[in-house]
Structure formats: C-alpha cells, structure tokens
Amino acid sequence: NGEHFVWNLGSWFIFPLFLSQAVGVAFYVVGFTESFLLAFPQIGGLDPRLIGLGVLLFLSAVAAFSADIALKSQYVIMAFIVLSLISFFAGGAPADASVSSVGTGDSSSYFWHVLAVFFPAVTGILSGVGMSGDLKNPSRSLPLGTIAAVLVGWGVYMAVPVGLHCFVSDRSALMNDPMIMQRCARIPWLIVAGVWAASLSSALGSLLAAPRTLQALAQDRAVPSIIGRGYGATNDPRLASLLGMSLAAVGIWF
C-alpha cells in the first residue's frame, strides 16, 4: 500500500549510510597501512594493498567472532589514544622544530581540503547509532554517548592545534611534517600507537555498524530479507558483514 511504499522509500535514504560506513573502513585501513609503512620503512617493498587486506581480514574476523569482544577491545584502544594525548600535551618544542619538507604538505590548502581531512575523523560519532540493537538501553545510551562523543571530540580537535602552535613556531614544519606531533611528544612512540589505535578503532566500529545498518534495511524490506538474516543468540548479520567487508576490500585494492 501507499504507506508501505513511503516507508521503503524512506529506508532507501539510509542505504548511502551503509555504503559510507563500508567504504569508510577502506579509508581507515589505508590510513593505518600508510602509518605502519612510515614506522617500518624496511618493509616498504611489500604491496600496501596486501597489508591492508590482511588488516581488514583480521578486523573482520574479530567483528564476526563476537561483537561483544570487538566492543570491549575498544577500551584498550581508547587507553592508547588517551596515553598518546597525554604524551603530546606533556611534551614541548622538538629539538629540530625548524625542520621542513619532511612530508608532502601543500601550502595552498584551502578550507575544503582541510574539511576533507577532518570530516572522516568525526563520522565515527555515529557508529553507536548503528549498534543500537546491541545496547541494553538505547534510548538512554545513544543520546548520552553521541553528545559525549561530540563534546570530547570537539575538545580534542581544538586543543591539539593550539598545542602544536604553542610548541612549534616554524609554519613550514607544521604544514609539511606529518609526524610533527611525534616530535613534540614526551614519549614519541605513543603518538604512533595512538594513530594506529584511532584508525583501527574507527575501522572496527564501521565493520560492526555497516552490516547492522543493512540488516535494518532488510527488516524494512528495502533490500532482500536474506541479506539481513541474523545468526546465533546475538542475531549477527553474517551475510551483511560479508558484503560490507567485500566493499571495503574493493576500496582498499583501488
């Protein structure tokens, strides 16, 4: 009937959310892989795509084995992120703060270029919405979690640039050195650990959220119901997870 058609049409507007979550996994994994190769240049001869696919398979196995374990692992990941921030703010100006052209920064970056860098970093705030079916009290947890994520994320993203500006006066170093935070940190390796933790955390969160978004679409009959079929006591959407992982794999390869 007309009401059912409108509901399905509304559900289709959510389909791009699934696509963005699945493709987002590829970007997170690629970001981790690039950082990993920077930290270990001796293995630079390996194809980054193969490393990325290996990371994707590992994260997918964790997400598929148990959503509960995947969610609990986020506490360990968050600990590394917090330690990396403490290490940064407890640091100071690096001895070689005047170094420049370490990376491939572009001094002509405009607002939209910067937005393109920051935008993927805040999309993880919505990951909890995709996990609403796994929460004991979603009506209470989702608003509190989302608002807390927005406030904490905003605070961190405002504090880090201010800290960098206080530590480093050389504008070219700020623009061209992708690891300038590591040079400023009290314990440099914690910054790398924080970058890896943040990348893997976002990838894992999207691997959990994307199939559940597709499962919800299947329940609304916007996509074939077989795609959203759940398995086990926790109703895990295994087929939807496979589709999401496949999209991420294609993104990584290209």
Side-chain angles (χ1 to χ4, degrees):
N1 53 39
E3 182 181 358
H4 184 69
F5 173 77
V6 171
W7 176 244
N8 270 331
L9 182 63
S11 299
W12 269 107
F13 283 110
I14 305 177
F15 192 73
L17 175 61
F18 161 73
L19 293 177
S20 68
Q21 291 168 336
V23 175
V25 174
F27 286 105
Y28 297 133
V29 171
V30 168
F32 167 81
T33 302
E34 290 183 352
S35 176
F36 184 81
L37 291 176
L38 281 175
F40 298 99
Q42 61 270 24
I43 62 173
L46 294 177
D47 190 336
R49 295 176 298 180
L50 296 179
I51 298 176
L53 290 176
V55 173
L56 175 64
L57 288 175
F58 172 76
L59 294 178
S60 299
V62 173
F65 180 74
S66 173
D68 185 55
I69 293 177
L71 290 173
K72 288 180 179 178
S73 70
Q74 298 281 31
Y75 290 106
V76 178
I77 292 173
M78 185 175 66
F80 277 105
I81 296 175
V82 171
L83 289 174
S84 69
L85 290 172
I86 293 174
S87 175
F88 169 69
F89 289 111
D96 54 350
S98 60
V99 67
S100 61
S101 299
V102 177
T104 56
D106 180 7
S107 60
S108 63
S109 294
Y110 299 105
F111 172 81
W112 294 109
H113 295 120
V114 179
L115 178 64
V117 173
F118 271 94
F119 182 77
V122 300
T123 55
I125 291 172
L126 299 176
S127 295
V129 177
M131 298 296 297
S132 60
D134 296 83
L135 299 174
K136 293 181 179 179
N137 189 357
S139 62
R140 179 179 183 274
S141 299
L142 286 180
L144 290 178
T146 303
I147 293 173
V150 170
L151 294 177
V152 173
W154 183 87
V156 171
Y157 289 140
M158 292 297 102
V160 169
V162 172
L164 283 173
H165 182 72
C166 294
F167 293 156
V168 183
S169 59
D170 186 355
R171 187 169 178 263
S172 63
L174 288 173
M175 298 182 69
N176 297 323
D177 188 350
M179 298 303 292
I180 189 63
M181 285 185 65
Q182 186 179 21
R183 297 177 184 275
C184 297
R186 177 66 62 89
I187 306 176
W189 68 266
L190 279 176
I191 299 300
V192 178
V195 170
W196 293 356
S199 301
L200 296 178
S201 171
S202 299
L204 190 56
S206 294
L207 279 171
L208 289 171
R212 284 160 177 80
T213 301
L214 194 59
Q215 186 180 45
L217 288 171
Q219 291 171 352
D220 292 340
R221 300 182 181 180
V223 297
S225 58
I226 186 64
I227 296 178
R229 180 181 176 183
Y231 295 85
T234 55
N235 198 34
D236 291 331
R238 296 176 184 174
L239 183 55
S241 298
L242 181 61
L243 290 175
M245 185 192 73
S246 300
L247 280 175
V250 171
I252 292 171
W253 189 258
F254 282 104

